[in-house]
Amino acid sequence: MRSLLLTLVLASGLAAAAVPDYLTRFDQAWRLVDEFYLDEDHLGVDWRAVGERYRPQVAAAASWDEVYRLLDRMYGELGDDHSRVLAPDEARAALRGALCLPLPFPVERPQPPAPGPAAPAPEGDGPGSAAPDAPGGGAEVGWDPFSYRRLDDGIAYLRVPQLVEPDVARRLAEAVRGLESEGVQGYILDLRDNPGGLAYVMAEVAGVFMRGLPWRIVTRTKGVTPQPTLPFWGRPLTDKPLVVLINRNVNSAAEGLAGALKRAGRARLVGETTAGNTEVVLPYCFPDGGVAMLASGVLAPVGAPTWEGRGVEPDVAVADEGAQLEAAVKLLRTR
């Protein structure tokens, strides 16, 4: 009888330990927004009421995939086009090895085991179902790579379609070193349709063309943090004339890159005013590899108002996409 009782107790304990602690993940995700979101009033959203609606749904979830879809949908209630929650497989595909921050508060409950392969979210999954700062979303996120080519008259064309992948700046730097050795006389940096990405990638790309302290990041919890180019000291890889192509679909860190090059007098901008969507997204890591992408502040130039809500204006306004490259080439030829 004692042996049977012990067996039942052990079985009960193992069963309890095996129950996924979905509410731990919910509490962590909800608390991040409550305490570290860029706006203390959560852009007018009643965040406590949102949590009360989603908590029982998470508790009743049938799998970790469903938990992460619910948390992503919950973040979508903020409506800021930046904040979302990525399941582990989505995070690996989206961040591609980029840096991730630990949770900024103690973890009080046991952590759940790592989930299996994440199933793709169904279409129409509600707000927050698109990938952060990128089209498509989901575990199959594929970022367009950096590319370049030589044009006529000693001009090089550099295409930077995103600032997410950690090796974007390395590829750009390698290309510029080679082009400098070939005697290139000027550069066109194409940022059109660039959805943005990570602040440190922005700083590394800027460091190819300039050095200094062009930005400040304004956050709710840490106040103002200066953001230098990377590297900060020394000479950039090139000081040749530079024209940057922008349009209304340039967002986030890509706006900060274009704005910094313009304010430093390092580049002329051709195209359309950018989106004015310069919220700073910080990626916070969950222990199982999932990530909360949280809009935690705004990007602004040093000594000037933020680009949030107004965008970066071109020096030469050209609305027609087909004519923008031609205008950039013409501008370089006349310098």
Side-chain angles (χ1 to χ4, degrees):
M1 184 68 177
R2 178 179 299 175
S3 176
L4 176 61
L5 180 61
L6 180 59
T7 300
L8 290 174
V9 170
L10 287 173
S12 174
L14 289 172
V19 174
D21 194 359
Y22 295 154
L23 289 182
T24 292
R25 188 65 73 248
F26 170 85
D27 291 342
Q28 292 164 343
W30 185 89
R31 184 177 174 184
L32 277 171
V33 174
D34 189 51
E35 298 181 16
F36 296 92
Y37 190 63
L38 63 91
D39 179 38
E40 188 172 358
D41 295 323
H42 310 108
L43 303 181
V45 174
D46 187 340
W47 190 241
R48 185 165 297 277
V50 169
E52 290 172 355
R53 281 194 288 113
Y54 278 89
R55 200 172 203 276
Q57 296 180 58
V58 171
S63 68
W64 279 106
D65 294 339
E66 184 179 353
V67 168
Y68 273 103
R69 286 197 293 272
L70 286 167
L71 295 179
D72 188 33
R73 192 181 303 167
M74 180 175 74
Y75 271 38
E77 302 266 350
L78 294 164
D80 64 17
D81 296 325
H82 280 79
S83 300
R84 68 165 301 197
V85 177
L86 304 177
D89 282 4
E90 292 177 310
R92 284 192 294 271
L95 296 182
R96 300 278 183 89
L99 299 178
C100 192
L101 303 173
L103 293 177
F105 41 72
V107 177
E108 298 174 356
R109 298 185 186 181
Q111 295 309 303
E123 292 186 8
D125 200 32
S129 58
D133 288 335
E140 298 301 322
V141 172
W143 301 106
D144 291 336
F146 164 77
S147 61
Y148 72 99
R149 67 180 187 269
R150 289 286 299 266
L151 305 178
D152 295 333
D153 298 335
I155 296 172
Y157 171 86
L158 310 167
R159 171 70 177 145
V160 177
Q162 44 83 15
L163 297 171
V164 178
E165 291 188 306
D167 64 348
V168 168
R170 177 185 60 79
R171 294 179 181 178
L172 172 65
E174 288 176 353
V176 169
R177 288 190 187 99
L179 291 164
E180 286 290 295
S181 69
E182 297 172 9
V184 164
Q185 297 302 305
Y187 294 90
I188 295 172
L189 178 64
D190 191 349
L191 297 180
R192 291 176 297 181
D193 300 323
N194 188 313
L198 302 174
Y200 84 91
V201 178
M202 170 195 71
E204 288 179 337
V205 171
V208 172
F209 301 103
M210 62 177 284
R211 300 291 165 86
L213 187 64
W215 307 282
R216 56 193 174 96
I217 296 175
V218 184
T219 62
R220 167 184 164 192
T221 56
K222 296 183 179 180
V224 178
T225 303
Q227 174 67 61
T229 61
L230 297 173
F232 172 59
W233 298 106
R235 295 176 60 85
L237 297 185
T238 179
D239 57 3
K240 301 286 178 58
L242 175 66
V243 174
V244 179
L245 295 176
I246 57 174
N247 63 8
R248 68 187 66 182
N249 296 321
V250 175
N251 283 265
S252 189
E255 296 184 79
L257 174 60
L261 291 168
K262 176 182 178 178
R263 281 181 53 83
R266 182 62 188 87
R268 303 287 301 281
L269 273 51
V270 171
E272 302 172 293
T273 300
T274 63
N277 188 17
T278 57
E279 294 168 354
V280 174
V281 177
L282 296 181
Y284 288 100
C285 312
F286 296 124
D288 63 356
V291 172
M293 305 290 290
L294 186 66
S296 303
V298 293
L299 184 67
V302 171
T306 177
W307 296 291
E308 177 71 21
R310 62 188 184 92
V312 178
E313 296 181 358
D315 297 292
V316 179
V318 181
D320 181 66
E321 182 176 346
Q324 289 165 353
L325 180 57
E326 182 180 347
V329 171
K330 182 178 180 180
L331 194 61
L332 281 176
R333 285 174 177 167
T334 57
R335 292 193 65 170

